[in-house]
Amino acid sequence: MADGAAAVGIGSDVNTPGPGVNTAGNPTEIAMAYLQDEKTDGDITNLNLGELDLTTDEFILDEVDIHIQANLEDDLVKEALRTGVDLRQYSKQVETELQRIEQASIKDYIKESQNIALLHNQITACDSILERMEGMLSGFQSDLSSISSEIQTLQQQSVSMNVRLKNRQAVRSHLSQLVDELVVPGAMISTILDSPVTEQEFLEQLHELNNKINFAKELSFRETLACSDIQDIVDRLKVKAVSKIREFILQKIYSFRKPMTNYQIPQNTLLKYRFFYQFLLANERTVAKEIRDEYVDTMSKIYLSYFKSYSGRLLKVQYEEVADKDDLMGVEDTAKKGFFSKPSLKSRNTIFTLGQRGSILSPAELEGPILVPHTAQRGDSRYPYETLFRSQHYALLDNGCREFLFLSDFFMVAGNSALDLFNSIMGKTLSMFLKSMSTYVSDCYDSIAIFLCIHIILRFRAITAKRTIPALDKYWEAVLELLWPRFDLILEMNIHSIRNTDPQKLGVLDTRPHYITRRYAEFSSAIVSINQTFPNERTNALLGQLQVEVENFVLKMAAEFPSRRDQLIFLINNYDMMLSVLMERAADDSKEVEGFQQLLLARTQEFIEEILSPPFGGMIAFVKEAEALMEKGQLDRLKNEEARISQLVRGFSSSWKQSVEAMSQDVMRSFTNFKNGTSIIQGALTQLIQYYHGFHKVLNQPTFRSLAVRSELINLHHLMVEVKKHKPNF
C-alpha cells in the first residue's frame, strides 16, 4: 500500500506545488506540505457534499433515481444489502481504512522525500540549461540573418562585375579585330613587293591584302578616322600587286601564241592562280577587262587557225571518188567496165551499202582518238566523209567543253554571260565549220554519209548534255538544220528515180534479184538500223514512200516476163533478197520486214500452186471440184467420171516420183537462195500430200466406194515416207 502511495506521489505534478508549499525547505517539510494540500482538498470535498441540498427544486429527482439504480447494480452494494450490513458501521470501517492508508502514504512520501527533492533540483537545473540554449540559438539566428544579407550583397556585386567584364571583353574583341585588320604587317609589304607571284606565300599575302582593302572600304563608308592611317600604304600595295599579276597573266596568254604549244598546260597554270583574276576584278576592273579581251582575242585566233588547218588536212584523206547526182537508186547500171575506168574498191566509198560504216556510231569509235591526218597520208589511208566529220567534231566537242569549263572557272562567269564569252572565243571557228559544211553538203549525194553525220551530232549533243555543257547546243542545232533537209532531198531524189525508172531500159530480163532492189534493200536496212536509237518520223515516212515505189518497180519488172511462172520466180527472188538483207540489220518487227514477209508468203503460195499444176493439175482440179460438190451435197454428179478417176489414179502412181524429182531440180535452179528454194520445195511437197489426202477422202465417199481402181491408190503413209526422200538438204 505504501508503494502505491509513493507511486501516486511521484506521478504528481512536482513542477506546480500546491499553495503554501515552501520549495526551499528540507525534503520532510516538502512532503508534509503536499500532504496538507491533499487533506485540505478532502475537506473541501466533504464540505461540498455536506452542503448539498437534496430538497432544492433545482435537483432532478429522476437523475438521482438513475444514480441510485446504478449504484445498486454494484457488486459490493449488492453484497452489503444481501448480508444486511450496517451502513454506519461500514462507513466508519471505511473511514478507518482510509486514515490508515493516508498514514501509510505519508510515510511513503517522507521515505521518498530525498528522491523527490533530487528530481526537483534536476528539473530546475534543466530549466536553466534550456534557458541558456535558447539564448545561444537566438544569437545564432541573428548572426545568420546578417550573413544572408551580406551574401545577397556579394551576389549583386558579382553580377555587376560579370556584366562589366563581358562588356570589356566585347569591346576588346572588336577593337582587337579592328586593330588587326588595320595593321599592315611588314611581312605582307616585303612579300608583295619582292616575292614572285608563283610562290604560295605571295598568294596567301594577296588574300590578306584583299581582305584589308575590303575592310578599308567598309570603314570608309562608316567614316572611321583610323582608315586614313593605312589607306595610302594599302593603295600602293594594291597597285604593285595589280602590276605583277597583270604581267604574269599576260605572259601566260602570250605563250599560247607560240607554234606547237599545248595551250592546255598554261591554262591549267592559270586555273591554279584563278584568284589573281578575282583580285583584279574586285580592285582594278580596267586591267581585268584588258586581260579578258587579250585572252579572247588570242584564243579565238588559235582555235580558228587550228581547226581550219585540221579540217583542211582531213579532207586530203577522204575518198577521192564520192557519189554524184547520177548515183541514184533508180539509175540503170551502165557504168563503163573498161580497163582504165574500173573503179578501185579500196578508195571508193559505197553509196547504198552500210557495211562497216555504221561502226562509227559505236561508243568505242564515237569517242575514240581523233584522226591524225599526216599519219593517215603516210599510210595511204582513205576514209569516208562521216569518219572525218566525227573526228573533226569530236575535237570540237572536247576542246569546246574544256574551254567552257575554263572560262566559267577562271573568269567566274555563268549562265548567259558564260555563253556569250564562249561564243566570243569560238564564234569564228563555229562559223567556219558551218560554212565549210554548207559547201560540202550542197554538193553531197551520199545519203548514208549525211545520215551518219546526223546521228553523230545527235550523240554528241547527248554527251554535252550529260556533261551539263550548254555551250555547243546552238551549234548542234545549226548543223542539224543543214543536214536534215539535205538528207530528205537525197531520199526524195532516190524515190523519184525509182518511180521514173523504165523497165525496158534496164537491159536483159533476168529472174534473179535486180540490182535496184538490192540497192534498196541495202540502203533501207542501213537507214532503219541507224534510225533505231534516235527515231525520226520524217525519215520513217520517206522510207515508207521508198518502199512503195520499190514494190511498184518490182511489179513493173515482173510484168515484163511473158509467163506467170517467171514472174513469180522474179518476185520471190527479189522479195526474199530484200527480206534477208533487212533482217540482218533491222528488227524483226519493223514495218519493212513485216511488209516483205507478207508479200513473200503470198507469192510463194501462188508459185507452189503454179509448179504443182503441170504434173498434178488434173488431180488437183478434180479434188477441188469434188470438195465443192461435197459441200453442196451434189457429189453424185461425178459418179459417171470413172474413166477420169482411173486415169488420175494410175497416172499419179506411175509418174509422181519423176514429177517430184523434176520439180525439185527446177525449183533449185530457179532460186538464187538455196534456203528459200528448199523452203519452197518443202511447201510444194506438203501441199501435194494434202491434195492426195483429199483425193483419198473423195474416193472413200459412198459414191466411189465401188470403183475397182481404188485398190491402186498409194498408201498415204507410204507416200509421205517416199516424199521425204526427195527433200533436198543444205
Side-chain angles (χ1 to χ4, degrees), residues 314-454:
L314 280 179
L315 292 177
K316 295 180 180 179
V317 296
Q318 184 183 1
Y319 281 132
E320 296 178 358
E321 296 185 14
V322 295
D324 55 29
K325 62 181 179 179
D326 295 326
D327 291 323
L328 299 176
M329 200 174 296
V331 175
E332 57 272 15
D333 192 7
T334 57
K336 295 181 180 180
K337 301 295 183 180
F339 180 78
F340 296 103
S341 61
K342 184 177 180 180
S344 174
L345 297 178
K346 182 179 178 181
S347 61
R348 189 174 188 276
N349 190 15
T350 55
I351 301 172
F352 303 107
T353 304
L354 183 61
Q356 297 299 320
R357 298 170 69 182
S359 61
I360 195 71
L361 299 178
S362 64
E365 291 197 25
L366 188 69
E367 300 183 53
I370 62 175
L371 289 177
V372 181
H374 65 270
T375 303
Q377 284 180 314
R378 190 182 304 120
D380 197 22
S381 300
R382 291 292 183 267
Y383 300 94
Y385 178 74
E386 65 271 8
T387 302
L388 310 182
F389 182 88
R390 196 280 318 175
S391 183
Q392 182 186 45
H393 282 81
Y394 188 69
L396 175 65
L397 181 148
D398 191 42
N399 285 275
C401 290
R402 181 186 296 273
E403 186 64 31
F404 183 80
L405 292 175
F406 174 81
L407 296 176
S408 301
D409 197 359
F410 185 78
F411 291 103
M412 297 178 296
V413 290
N416 292 330
S417 299
L419 293 176
D420 292 341
L421 183 59
F422 178 83
N423 290 329
S424 64
I425 293 175
M426 301 294 294
K428 294 180 180 179
T429 302
L430 299 180
S431 298
M432 182 268 295
F433 271 17
L434 291 174
K435 183 177 180 180
S436 61
M437 196 180 310
S438 177
T439 303
Y440 174 82
V441 167
S442 63
D443 196 36
C444 177
Y445 295 90
D446 188 353
S447 54
I448 291 182
I450 296 294
F451 200 59
L452 285 171
C453 291
I454 289 173

Side-chain angles (χ1 to χ4, degrees), residues 434 473-483:
L434 291 174
D473 288 352
K474 290 185 178 180
Y475 174 74
W476 301 140
E477 294 299 328
V479 173
L480 292 176
E481 289 177 0
L482 276 176
L483 297 177

